[in-house]
Amino acid sequence: MQNADDREPAGMSAGMTLLLAATAGISVANLYLAQPMIGLIGPSIGLRPGGYGLVVTLTQIGYACGLLLIVPLGDFVENRRLMVTTLGCGAVTLLVTSFVGSAAPFLVACFVVGIMSVTTQMVVPLAAHLADPRKRGRQVATVVSGLLTGILFGRPIASLIASVSGWRSVFLVASAAMAIMAIVLWRCLPQRRPDGRKNYLSMLASMVPLLARTPLLQRRMAYQTSLFFAFTVFWTAIPLELSRHFGLDQRGIAIFSLVGAAGALSAPIAGRFADAGKVIAGTAISMAMVATGVALTWPGSAAHGWTGLIILGLATVLLDGGVQANQAFSMKVLFDLPSEIRSRVNAVFISCAFLGAALGSALAPLALSYAGWPLVALLAVTPPICVLTFFLIRERHRLIASPARS
């Protein structure tokens, strides 16, 4: 096995980049497997319609807890062993989830699945460490695109499997994928032993002052949390809307979900723009894409037949692409910070985003059942518009120069 200390390495091979991207995608997909199936899972485990969103919400809260409690260990313990352990535990939890038959234990299992899906956020800082500093934006963006492709393809794949063999088989397939990936990483991933001079409790305690003294992190957290809130509101509510308003079954919902996968192309493009010093302009564009995409869902939901589906499909591409691009730009500027704080920076950044996502997934079904899609669209579009306005006011003088950091 190879070994890597905490110094900046010369670079990362294309094969290793793809392996890390695949790991990120497989791990993070677990957070979204249930999202298009809540209409099937809810009645099966005895949940009321207004509580269907809890399946997604508790998974995301678990993920946020794992980000805060487990991911910082990446700055403290050997990375490969940590990642293989979480993948293995995730495989076992998904296996158990597939057999649970009532609401309370199922929701507990969802929470644990979220905790054990944090491998994906260990992969991204590791990629930043292994990457050639001159190509860090592109290589990290490739790994991020794997992560976001897992988000986007996890839903349609889950829908297709559920349409053939039921929703429980989805968790069985996910369990097998996590177990296989754990074995591959153990054999192929180089070891990385960070500087472990701090103990675990001091490492956790350091995240609060780290956030307080890093305004760049504060801003990027606010941007991504707002966009991810909109993203999760949309994707939690849209399967129910597609079924109710457009009459789509699980296969139809799966095909619709695939449209959003086109947005995965935005992350590598954003990485190249970031390496070229276009972070300011790129961030503004990505925020505008999200706001525009969510706004389009209103007329799309009001239309009927193919017209409405085409408008919603376009909205999906803009929404997903904008969220992915903004995350790629954020990763570029955040991972240019000192290497010894990358895991903690990433943990704070992503945990805040997923707490926003958890709130969005809880509110979306309630908004849909109370006032229909117009309230869902209003709920989702407000935060992106607010952060875009703030960003344009704050960066109005720098947009022309587009420096490498925002």
Side-chain angles (χ1 to χ4, degrees), residues 125-147:
L126 180 61
H129 170 76
L130 295 175
D132 182 339
R134 295 167 299 177
K135 301 178 181 178
R136 181 172 291 139
R138 279 169 282 177
Q139 292 188 317
V140 171
T142 298
V143 175
V144 170
S145 69
L147 182 160

Side-chain angles (χ1 to χ4, degrees), residues 287 384-394:
M287 290 179 178
I385 288 178
C386 290
V387 293
L388 175 60
T389 302
F390 169 82
F391 184 80
L392 292 177
I393 292 173
R394 185 180 187 280

Side-chain angles (χ1 to χ4, degrees), residues 4 21 24 50 77 105 111 137 140 186 216 405:
V77 301
F111 178 78
V140 171
W186 182 254
L216 175 64
R405 291 193 178 187

Side-chain angles (χ1 to χ4, degrees), residues 304-327:
H304 295 276
W306 283 105
T307 300
L309 289 174
I310 290 171
I311 295 173
L312 287 174
L314 175 60
T316 300
V317 173
L318 290 171
L319 172 62
D320 290 2
V323 171
Q324 294 187 50
N326 186 74
Q327 182 159 331

Side-chain angles (χ1 to χ4, degrees), residues 34 37-49 51-53 55 101-103 106 167:
M37 303 187 299
I38 58 174
L40 299 176
I41 296 173
S44 178
I45 62 174
L47 281 175
R48 294 182 178 181
Y52 288 0
V55 174
S102 57
F106 184 87
W167 64 265

Side-chain angles (χ1 to χ4, degrees), residues 29-366:
N30 297 322
L31 302 175
Y32 299 94
L33 296 177
Q35 202 167 52
M37 303 187 299
I38 58 174
L40 299 176
I41 296 173
S44 178
I45 62 174
L47 281 175
R48 294 182 178 181
Y52 288 0
L54 288 174
V55 174
V56 180
T57 298
L58 286 173
T59 306
Q60 291 170 334
I61 291 175
Y63 189 66
C65 292
L67 286 166
L68 291 173
L69 298 176
I70 297 176
V71 170
L73 288 171
D75 287 336
F76 180 60
V77 301
E78 199 277 303
N79 288 185
R80 186 186 65 188
R81 185 180 298 275
L82 182 61
M83 293 165 63
V84 170
T85 299
T86 54
L87 285 169
C89 292
V92 173
T93 306
L94 286 162
L95 181 63
V96 172
T97 304
S98 68
F99 293 105
V100 174
S102 57
F106 184 87
L107 293 175
V108 171
C110 288
F111 178 78
V112 179
V113 166
I115 293 175
M116 295 305 165
S117 296
V118 296
T119 311
T120 189
Q121 295 303 334
M122 302 174 194
V123 168
V124 178
L126 180 61
H129 170 76
L130 295 175
D132 182 339
R134 295 167 299 177
K135 301 178 181 178
R136 181 172 291 139
R138 279 169 282 177
Q139 292 188 317
V140 171
T142 298
V143 175
V144 170
S145 69
L147 182 160
L148 295 165
T149 300
I151 294 174
L152 297 175
F153 278 97
R155 288 187 296 262
I157 290 173
S159 292
L160 289 173
I161 295 173
S163 70
V164 173
S165 54
W167 64 265
R168 294 184 184 277
S169 60
V170 174
F171 293 96
L172 290 173
V173 172
S175 175
M178 290 279 278
I180 292 170
M181 188 54 66
I183 294 170
V184 172
L185 285 191
W186 182 254
R187 294 182 61 87
C188 300
L189 192 67
Q191 292 183 338
R192 178 188 175 235
R193 300 183 183 277
D195 180 1
R197 286 174 294 181
K198 291 186 177 181
N199 60 44
Y200 178 66
L201 292 178
S202 64
M203 187 73 70
L204 292 179
S206 71
M207 288 194 287
V208 174
L210 176 65
L211 175 61
R213 67 173 182 263
T214 315
L216 175 64
L217 175 58
Q218 297 167 14
R219 295 193 298 273
R220 286 288 162 180
M221 280 173 52
Y223 303 158
Q224 190 66 13
T225 300
S226 299
L227 302 192
F228 213 45
F229 174 88
F231 176 90
T232 309
V233 167
F234 173 81
W235 279 111
T236 302
I238 197 62
L240 301 174
E241 181 70 5
L242 291 173
S243 176
R244 183 184 68 177
H245 185 69
F246 294 93
L248 297 188
D249 58 12
Q250 283 298 128
R251 292 191 182 187
I253 293 170
I255 293 170
F256 178 86
S257 299
L258 284 172
V259 174
L265 298 174
S266 68
I269 296 171
R272 292 183 179 276
F273 272 82
D275 284 339
K278 304 296 183 182
V279 171
I280 294 287
T283 298
I285 292 170
S286 62
M287 290 179 178
M289 288 172 62
V290 174
T292 302
V294 176
L296 280 176
T297 66
W298 197 325
S301 66
H304 295 276
W306 283 105
T307 300
L309 289 174
I310 290 171
I311 295 173
L312 287 174
L314 175 60
T316 300
V317 173
L318 290 171
L319 172 62
D320 290 2
V323 171
Q324 294 187 50
N326 186 74
Q327 182 159 331
F329 287 123
S330 296
M331 292 300 185
K332 163 61 178 173
V333 296
L334 291 176
F335 289 154
D336 280 345
L337 296 173
S339 62
E340 64 270 14
I341 64 171
R342 281 180 189 148
S343 289
R344 282 168 288 164
V345 165
N346 192 53
V348 173
F349 172 72
I350 299 295
S351 62
C352 184
F354 271 85
L355 287 174
L359 178 62
S361 63
L363 293 177
L366 295 175

